[in-house]
Amino acid sequence: MRVILISGINGFLGSYLAKYLSSDYKIIGLANDPENLFRLEHFNFEVSKSTDENIKNILEHNRIFAIIHAATVYDKSEGSVLKLLTTNLMLPIKLYELANKHEVKYFFNTDTFFNIHKTKYTYLSEYSLSKSHVLDWLTTIKNNCILINMKLYHIYGPNDSLTKFVPSIISKIKENTDNIKLTPGDQKRDFIYIEDVCSAYKAVLKNLVPKESINYEFEIGTGISISIQEFVKEVKRITKSTTNFHFGALEYRENEIMDAVANNYELVKLGWKPTISLEEGLIKTILDI
């Protein structure tokens, strides 16, 4: 069975990828805190702390088919700028260089749709800057390992952090919070359910026929965007909440992206398509919160 190494295996994306791919691949994980595995309950993956020595040992003692870099730090409030740069920049560069040395076939870099837009989006600026810089470095490194950049749109699903927009707003609506202040809500996002994201990674692993010395990029989204106003109203409808929304009570963020929608054509060519509707995905997510 082919082996896949996943960094950030205990995070939202990494844990889903590990579980989703485990029926076809042997999964080995890296984590900053390998004791914090609540998202991997009932799964017995080999998980090591993301140290230089552990990474070296894993690559020397296993024939790794692919490395998926899913570890991320969103902003310096999670610790420091150094922690953000270590996880978002130095770790993937280190893994990619070692991938070449140990003849790993694929290296998946997990990117964000924030980097598509030319205007500097001040919200999560440290995160998006680190993602932009690491891609610049990865594409500069001469490597026989095929680089695959997975540019994620607005992923959501059960077991995500309540600090993020989707679980946070669902929690408030589900609890019938009297009044929620929001922006006008006309900004549009491409919301994609976490299982559809995992199936996109699997489609690339199974169906990509690589050409020599070519790097690849795939945008992962449904290809359809809806407004934040439509989104929160749909959550209210499903939960039968009594919450009132005050659209326009808050101003848009500086340099707000008004429409973010994936061009998933290259994924569709590989035979992939999203299968979870927004309603179905929201119901699954709501039940978990």
Side-chain angles (χ1 to χ4, degrees), residues 119-122 183 187 189 251-259:
T119 55
K120 185 178 179 182
Y121 194 45
T122 50
T183 68
Q187 68 272 50
R189 297 290 182 265
E251 294 183 357
Y252 289 121
R253 291 190 175 99
E254 185 180 354
N255 295 325
E256 181 69 73
I257 298 169
M258 293 309 297
D259 194 7

PDB file of all heavy atoms in Angstrom, residues 119-122 183 187 189 251-259:
ATOM      1  N   THR A 119      -5.616  42.792  -5.020  1.00  0.00           N
ATOM      2  CA  THR A 119      -5.658  43.738  -3.909  1.00  0.00           C
ATOM      3  C   THR A 119      -5.220  43.048  -2.624  1.00  0.00           C
ATOM      4  O   THR A 119      -5.529  41.881  -2.403  1.00  0.00           O
ATOM      5  CB  THR A 119      -7.086  44.284  -3.704  1.00  0.00           C
ATOM      6  OG1 THR A 119      -7.987  43.182  -3.539  1.00  0.00           O
ATOM      7  CG2 THR A 119      -7.516  45.115  -4.890  1.00  0.00           C
ATOM      8  N   LYS A 120      -4.495  43.766  -1.796  1.00  0.00           N
ATOM      9  CA  LYS A 120      -4.012  43.186  -0.542  1.00  0.00           C
ATOM     10  C   LYS A 120      -5.159  43.120   0.453  1.00  0.00           C
ATOM     11  O   LYS A 120      -5.684  44.131   0.896  1.00  0.00           O
ATOM     12  CB  LYS A 120      -2.862  44.021   0.023  1.00  0.00           C
ATOM     13  CG  LYS A 120      -2.235  43.402   1.268  1.00  0.00           C
ATOM     14  CD  LYS A 120      -1.076  44.234   1.780  1.00  0.00           C
ATOM     15  CE  LYS A 120      -0.477  43.598   3.038  1.00  0.00           C
ATOM     16  NZ  LYS A 120       0.619  44.409   3.590  1.00  0.00           N
ATOM     17  N   TYR A 121      -5.549  41.919   0.809  1.00  0.00           N
ATOM     18  CA  TYR A 121      -6.654  41.703   1.731  1.00  0.00           C
ATOM     19  C   TYR A 121      -6.100  41.768   3.145  1.00  0.00           C
ATOM     20  O   TYR A 121      -5.376  40.880   3.576  1.00  0.00           O
ATOM     21  CB  TYR A 121      -7.279  40.342   1.434  1.00  0.00           C
ATOM     22  CG  TYR A 121      -8.622  40.104   2.061  1.00  0.00           C
ATOM     23  CD1 TYR A 121      -9.623  41.070   2.026  1.00  0.00           C
ATOM     24  CD2 TYR A 121      -8.911  38.892   2.669  1.00  0.00           C
ATOM     25  CE1 TYR A 121     -10.864  40.829   2.582  1.00  0.00           C
ATOM     26  CE2 TYR A 121     -10.147  38.639   3.223  1.00  0.00           C
ATOM     27  CZ  TYR A 121     -11.121  39.614   3.180  1.00  0.00           C
ATOM     28  OH  TYR A 121     -12.354  39.370   3.732  1.00  0.00           O
ATOM     29  N   THR A 122      -6.421  42.828   3.869  1.00  0.00           N
ATOM     30  CA  THR A 122      -5.778  43.073   5.159  1.00  0.00           C
ATOM     31  C   THR A 122      -6.178  42.042   6.223  1.00  0.00           C
ATOM     32  O   THR A 122      -5.403  41.759   7.122  1.00  0.00           O
ATOM     33  CB  THR A 122      -6.116  44.486   5.672  1.00  0.00           C
ATOM     34  OG1 THR A 122      -7.532  44.679   5.615  1.00  0.00           O
ATOM     35  CG2 THR A 122      -5.453  45.534   4.800  1.00  0.00           C
ATOM     36  N   THR A 183     -21.990  42.902   8.050  1.00  0.00           N
ATOM     37  CA  THR A 183     -21.799  43.843   6.948  1.00  0.00           C
ATOM     38  C   THR A 183     -23.044  43.785   6.060  1.00  0.00           C
ATOM     39  O   THR A 183     -23.944  42.980   6.316  1.00  0.00           O
ATOM     40  CB  THR A 183     -20.569  43.442   6.123  1.00  0.00           C
ATOM     41  OG1 THR A 183     -20.851  42.205   5.452  1.00  0.00           O
ATOM     42  CG2 THR A 183     -19.330  43.290   7.002  1.00  0.00           C
ATOM     43  N   GLN A 187     -20.857  40.489  -0.275  1.00  0.00           N
ATOM     44  CA  GLN A 187     -19.658  39.786  -0.715  1.00  0.00           C
ATOM     45  C   GLN A 187     -19.976  38.305  -0.900  1.00  0.00           C
ATOM     46  O   GLN A 187     -20.687  37.705  -0.108  1.00  0.00           O
ATOM     47  CB  GLN A 187     -18.493  40.003   0.254  1.00  0.00           C
ATOM     48  CG  GLN A 187     -18.627  39.377   1.636  1.00  0.00           C
ATOM     49  CD  GLN A 187     -19.331  40.260   2.628  1.00  0.00           C
ATOM     50  OE1 GLN A 187     -20.404  40.793   2.359  1.00  0.00           O
ATOM     51  NE2 GLN A 187     -18.754  40.387   3.835  1.00  0.00           N
ATOM     52  N   ARG A 189     -18.933  34.222  -1.678  1.00  0.00           N
ATOM     53  CA  ARG A 189     -17.908  33.214  -1.423  1.00  0.00           C
ATOM     54  C   ARG A 189     -18.338  31.868  -2.018  1.00  0.00           C
ATOM     55  O   ARG A 189     -19.523  31.572  -2.124  1.00  0.00           O
ATOM     56  CB  ARG A 189     -17.670  33.038   0.090  1.00  0.00           C
ATOM     57  CG  ARG A 189     -17.138  34.281   0.783  1.00  0.00           C
ATOM     58  CD  ARG A 189     -15.716  34.579   0.395  1.00  0.00           C
ATOM     59  NE  ARG A 189     -15.162  35.737   1.074  1.00  0.00           N
ATOM     60  CZ  ARG A 189     -15.154  36.971   0.564  1.00  0.00           C
ATOM     61  NH1 ARG A 189     -15.676  37.201  -0.638  1.00  0.00           N
ATOM     62  NH2 ARG A 189     -14.611  37.968   1.230  1.00  0.00           N
ATOM     63  N   GLU A 251     -19.123  47.688   8.796  1.00  0.00           N
ATOM     64  CA  GLU A 251     -18.541  48.041   7.506  1.00  0.00           C
ATOM     65  C   GLU A 251     -17.776  46.850   6.933  1.00  0.00           C
ATOM     66  O   GLU A 251     -17.337  45.961   7.672  1.00  0.00           O
ATOM     67  CB  GLU A 251     -17.591  49.231   7.650  1.00  0.00           C
ATOM     68  CG  GLU A 251     -18.283  50.529   8.057  1.00  0.00           C
ATOM     69  CD  GLU A 251     -17.310  51.695   8.113  1.00  0.00           C
ATOM     70  OE1 GLU A 251     -16.095  51.470   7.882  1.00  0.00           O
ATOM     71  OE2 GLU A 251     -17.750  52.815   8.386  1.00  0.00           O
ATOM     72  N   TYR A 252     -17.642  46.827   5.619  1.00  0.00           N
ATOM     73  CA  TYR A 252     -16.794  45.812   5.016  1.00  0.00           C
ATOM     74  C   TYR A 252     -15.364  45.964   5.512  1.00  0.00           C
ATOM     75  O   TYR A 252     -14.929  47.070   5.839  1.00  0.00           O
ATOM     76  CB  TYR A 252     -16.798  45.940   3.481  1.00  0.00           C
ATOM     77  CG  TYR A 252     -18.089  45.536   2.829  1.00  0.00           C
ATOM     78  CD1 TYR A 252     -18.804  46.431   2.045  1.00  0.00           C
ATOM     79  CD2 TYR A 252     -18.581  44.233   2.956  1.00  0.00           C
ATOM     80  CE1 TYR A 252     -19.986  46.060   1.420  1.00  0.00           C
ATOM     81  CE2 TYR A 252     -19.767  43.852   2.335  1.00  0.00           C
ATOM     82  CZ  TYR A 252     -20.466  44.771   1.575  1.00  0.00           C
ATOM     83  OH  TYR A 252     -21.636  44.401   0.962  1.00  0.00           O
ATOM     84  N   ARG A 253     -14.630  44.854   5.538  1.00  0.00           N
ATOM     85  CA  ARG A 253     -13.214  44.941   5.871  1.00  0.00           C
ATOM     86  C   ARG A 253     -12.484  45.723   4.786  1.00  0.00           C
ATOM     87  O   ARG A 253     -12.924  45.792   3.637  1.00  0.00           O
ATOM     88  CB  ARG A 253     -12.608  43.540   5.979  1.00  0.00           C
ATOM     89  CG  ARG A 253     -13.106  42.749   7.182  1.00  0.00           C
ATOM     90  CD  ARG A 253     -12.270  41.487   7.338  1.00  0.00           C
ATOM     91  NE  ARG A 253     -12.641  40.756   8.539  1.00  0.00           N
ATOM     92  CZ  ARG A 253     -13.462  39.703   8.550  1.00  0.00           C
ATOM     93  NH1 ARG A 253     -14.016  39.303   7.427  1.00  0.00           N
ATOM     94  NH2 ARG A 253     -13.741  39.095   9.667  1.00  0.00           N
ATOM     95  N   GLU A 254     -11.351  46.285   5.151  1.00  0.00           N
ATOM     96  CA  GLU A 254     -10.537  46.998   4.180  1.00  0.00           C
ATOM     97  C   GLU A 254     -10.129  46.050   3.051  1.00  0.00           C
ATOM     98  O   GLU A 254      -9.710  44.924   3.288  1.00  0.00           O
ATOM     99  CB  GLU A 254      -9.285  47.548   4.867  1.00  0.00           C
ATOM    100  CG  GLU A 254      -8.419  48.410   3.975  1.00  0.00           C
ATOM    101  CD  GLU A 254      -7.190  48.928   4.681  1.00  0.00           C
ATOM    102  OE1 GLU A 254      -7.077  48.712   5.915  1.00  0.00           O
ATOM    103  OE2 GLU A 254      -6.338  49.544   4.009  1.00  0.00           O
ATOM    104  N   ASN A 255     -10.286  46.528   1.809  1.00  0.00           N
ATOM    105  CA  ASN A 255      -9.967  45.734   0.617  1.00  0.00           C
ATOM    106  C   ASN A 255     -10.769  44.434   0.561  1.00  0.00           C
ATOM    107  O   ASN A 255     -10.263  43.391   0.139  1.00  0.00           O
ATOM    108  CB  ASN A 255      -8.469  45.420   0.545  1.00  0.00           C
ATOM    109  CG  ASN A 255      -7.626  46.656   0.359  1.00  0.00           C
ATOM    110  OD1 ASN A 255      -8.034  47.604  -0.315  1.00  0.00           O
ATOM    111  ND2 ASN A 255      -6.443  46.673   0.953  1.00  0.00           N
ATOM    112  N   GLU A 256     -12.013  44.490   0.976  1.00  0.00           N
ATOM    113  CA  GLU A 256     -12.887  43.317   0.957  1.00  0.00           C
ATOM    114  C   GLU A 256     -12.944  42.701  -0.440  1.00  0.00           C
ATOM    115  O   GLU A 256     -13.092  43.396  -1.450  1.00  0.00           O
ATOM    116  CB  GLU A 256     -14.305  43.703   1.389  1.00  0.00           C
ATOM    117  CG  GLU A 256     -15.292  42.548   1.433  1.00  0.00           C
ATOM    118  CD  GLU A 256     -14.981  41.570   2.550  1.00  0.00           C
ATOM    119  OE1 GLU A 256     -15.222  41.910   3.719  1.00  0.00           O
ATOM    120  OE2 GLU A 256     -14.497  40.472   2.228  1.00  0.00           O
ATOM    121  N   ILE A 257     -12.807  41.381  -0.513  1.00  0.00           N
ATOM    122  CA  ILE A 257     -12.981  40.650  -1.773  1.00  0.00           C
ATOM    123  C   ILE A 257     -14.480  40.454  -1.971  1.00  0.00           C
ATOM    124  O   ILE A 257     -15.144  39.811  -1.164  1.00  0.00           O
ATOM    125  CB  ILE A 257     -12.259  39.298  -1.722  1.00  0.00           C
ATOM    126  CG1 ILE A 257     -10.753  39.518  -1.539  1.00  0.00           C
ATOM    127  CG2 ILE A 257     -12.525  38.493  -2.984  1.00  0.00           C
ATOM    128  CD1 ILE A 257      -9.986  38.251  -1.215  1.00  0.00           C
ATOM    129  N   MET A 258     -15.021  40.987  -3.046  1.00  0.00           N
ATOM    130  CA  MET A 258     -16.474  40.987  -3.226  1.00  0.00           C
ATOM    131  C   MET A 258     -17.002  39.740  -3.934  1.00  0.00           C
ATOM    132  O   MET A 258     -18.174  39.417  -3.833  1.00  0.00           O
ATOM    133  CB  MET A 258     -16.910  42.243  -3.980  1.00  0.00           C
ATOM    134  CG  MET A 258     -16.698  43.525  -3.172  1.00  0.00           C
ATOM    135  SD  MET A 258     -17.394  43.492  -1.490  1.00  0.00           S
ATOM    136  CE  MET A 258     -19.150  43.325  -1.842  1.00  0.00           C
ATOM    137  N   ASP A 259     -16.151  39.034  -4.658  1.00  0.00           N
ATOM    138  CA  ASP A 259     -16.612  37.791  -5.278  1.00  0.00           C
ATOM    139  C   ASP A 259     -15.427  36.847  -5.430  1.00  0.00           C
ATOM    140  O   ASP A 259     -14.469  37.155  -6.137  1.00  0.00           O
ATOM    141  CB  ASP A 259     -17.253  38.045  -6.643  1.00  0.00           C
ATOM    142  CG  ASP A 259     -18.030  36.829  -7.156  1.00  0.00           C
ATOM    143  OD1 ASP A 259     -18.173  35.853  -6.389  1.00  0.00           O
ATOM    144  OD2 ASP A 259     -18.490  36.859  -8.313  1.00  0.00           O
TER     145      ASP A 259
END
